[in-house]
Amino acid sequence: MSVIRVKHATKSYGPRHNRFTAIDDVTFEVPEGSTVAIVGKSGSGKSTLMHLISGLDRPDDGEVIIEGKNIFKLRGKELDQFRNRHIGFIFQSFFVEANESLYQNVSLPLEIRQTIYNKRREKILWALERVDMQDKVNVRAGKLSGGEKQRLAIARAIVNEPKIIFADEPTGNLDSATGAKVVNLLFELNKQIGSTLFVVTHDHELAARCQILIQLKDGKLVSIKDTSSAKNSKQAVTTGKEGE
Ligand code: ADP
């Protein structure tokens, strides 16, 4: 089975005399198709790690290997293409285009990819149906409630059927009932389209539903637990520390 592998990833910020290491020599791997929660206190490096795995940010050192390829060996344009094809993002603060219709919002990643009109239409309707918003195709996104905006953001994130979906505090701005619906949807989509799901969350219930739990502290990997089967529950997935 294919795995997503992070090897000795390090990322620092700030000027040389005042460097701050946000991610410090982090190594792990997870099977493609799994659900992964990244947990840790505020400032522990969760978002930075997600940005590295998704190629949004470049590490100072180390590798991120997806489909057997170190994504940082890709050139700028190739990396953009890789992200557009294989990666979907969902953020806490929705980021939908309020003045555009739902259709236009979901169309965006497909336009970047230059998908032809008919195919595009088919995919947009498919994605909106997955989040149960097919009856609002022509509504302006600004008219939606918070939960609906998040569902729209999910439709946009999945329209390319990405290999990996990143959700950074996806329920942070939602009431608990709406949040629960959005979370159920993310897990359903993980099953339906087989995308690996990475979630950064403070929500213990959400973290507990994920198969793999990655805990960070001060930019370091504290533990990685695979809870997908009782057999593995106490055992860490490869941390890479053993004999690499
Ligand atoms: P978390 O998501 O766990 O709250 P982050 O990954 O956002 O943590 O941040 C980890 C640390 O790196 C924090 O101390 C933060 O201030 C710092 N940091 C993150 N991004 C930047 C940046 N672009 N410039 C400078 N420091 C940053």
Side-chain angles (χ1 to χ4, degrees), residues 76-106:
K77 204 170 165 200
E78 288 172 334
L79 184 57
D80 289 345
Q81 263 173 5
F82 174 86
R83 272 207 307 269
N84 180 254
R85 291 215 173 135
H86 299 307
I87 286 173
F89 288 98
I90 299 149
F91 297 97
Q92 179 175 4
S93 45
F94 320 138
F95 290 129
V96 296
E97 296 288 340
N99 288 322
E100 308 262 20
S101 68
L102 272 62
Y103 187 95
Q104 288 164 322
N105 266 278
V106 181

Side-chain angles (χ1 to χ4, degrees), residues 16-229:
R16 194 176 291 221
H17 60 277
N18 195 17
R19 283 306 258 177
F20 179 82
T21 305
I23 285 294
D24 191 356
D25 195 15
V26 167
T27 295
F28 64 87
E29 64 181 43
V30 297
E32 278 188 12
S34 49
T35 51
V36 185
I38 304 176
V39 299
K41 284 189 187 150
S42 184
S44 58
K46 304 183 294 297
S47 299
T48 305
L49 180 61
M50 281 235 294
H51 290 175
L52 295 180
I53 310 172
S54 59
L56 266 184
D57 243 345
R58 220 165 243 282
D60 305 328
D61 247 319
E63 296 177 359
V64 172
I65 295 163
I66 300 173
E67 301 273 295
K69 270 193 224 135
N70 176 3
I71 61 170
F72 296 108
K73 286 260 159 78
L74 298 173
R75 286 195 214 119
K77 204 170 165 200
E78 288 172 334
L79 184 57
D80 289 345
Q81 263 173 5
F82 174 86
R83 272 207 307 269
N84 180 254
R85 291 215 173 135
H86 299 307
I87 286 173
F89 288 98
I90 299 149
F91 297 97
Q92 179 175 4
S93 45
F94 320 138
F95 290 129
V96 296
E97 296 288 340
N99 288 322
E100 308 262 20
S101 68
L102 272 62
Y103 187 95
Q104 288 164 322
N105 266 278
V106 181
S107 181
L108 237 124
L110 299 173
E111 286 168 33
I112 295 171
R113 203 174 158 176
Q114 299 182 321
T115 308
I116 55 165
Y117 176 81
N118 282 346
K119 190 79 192 155
R120 203 160 76 214
R121 186 174 168 74
E122 194 183 296
K123 281 173 168 268
I124 294 166
L125 297 178
W126 169 84
L128 285 171
E129 207 173 302
R130 294 273 82 68
V131 300
D132 205 15
M133 296 190 95
Q134 63 275 32
D135 54 337
K136 290 195 163 66
V137 174
N138 295 315
V139 172
R140 264 192 335 111
K143 297 230 177 235
L144 301 177
S145 68
E148 286 173 329
K149 280 186 188 146
Q150 197 57 308
R151 274 156 55 204
L152 170 59
I154 292 174
R156 191 183 49 196
I158 64 165
V159 71
N160 276 335
E161 295 178 66
K163 284 198 179 17
I164 314 178
I165 295 177
F166 292 95
D168 198 345
E169 296 282 1
T171 59
N173 279 330
L174 301 175
D175 64 76
S176 52
T178 314
K181 280 190 198 151
V182 164
V183 167
N184 285 338
L185 180 59
L186 287 172
F187 281 90
E188 259 169 47
L189 289 167
N190 160 261
K191 281 217 184 91
Q192 280 176 14
I193 61 179
S195 309
T196 311
L197 175 67
F198 279 92
V199 203
V200 162
T201 186
H202 282 110
D203 177 342
H204 293 294
E205 267 176 49
L206 170 52
R209 282 181 66 174
C210 291
Q211 291 152 349
I212 297 174
L213 204 63
I214 290 177
Q215 180 148 30
L216 295 179
K217 189 178 177 198
D218 301 330
K220 292 197 171 68
L221 181 88
V222 179
S223 65
I224 169 162
K225 290 192 185 111
D226 185 345
T227 58
S228 58
S229 69

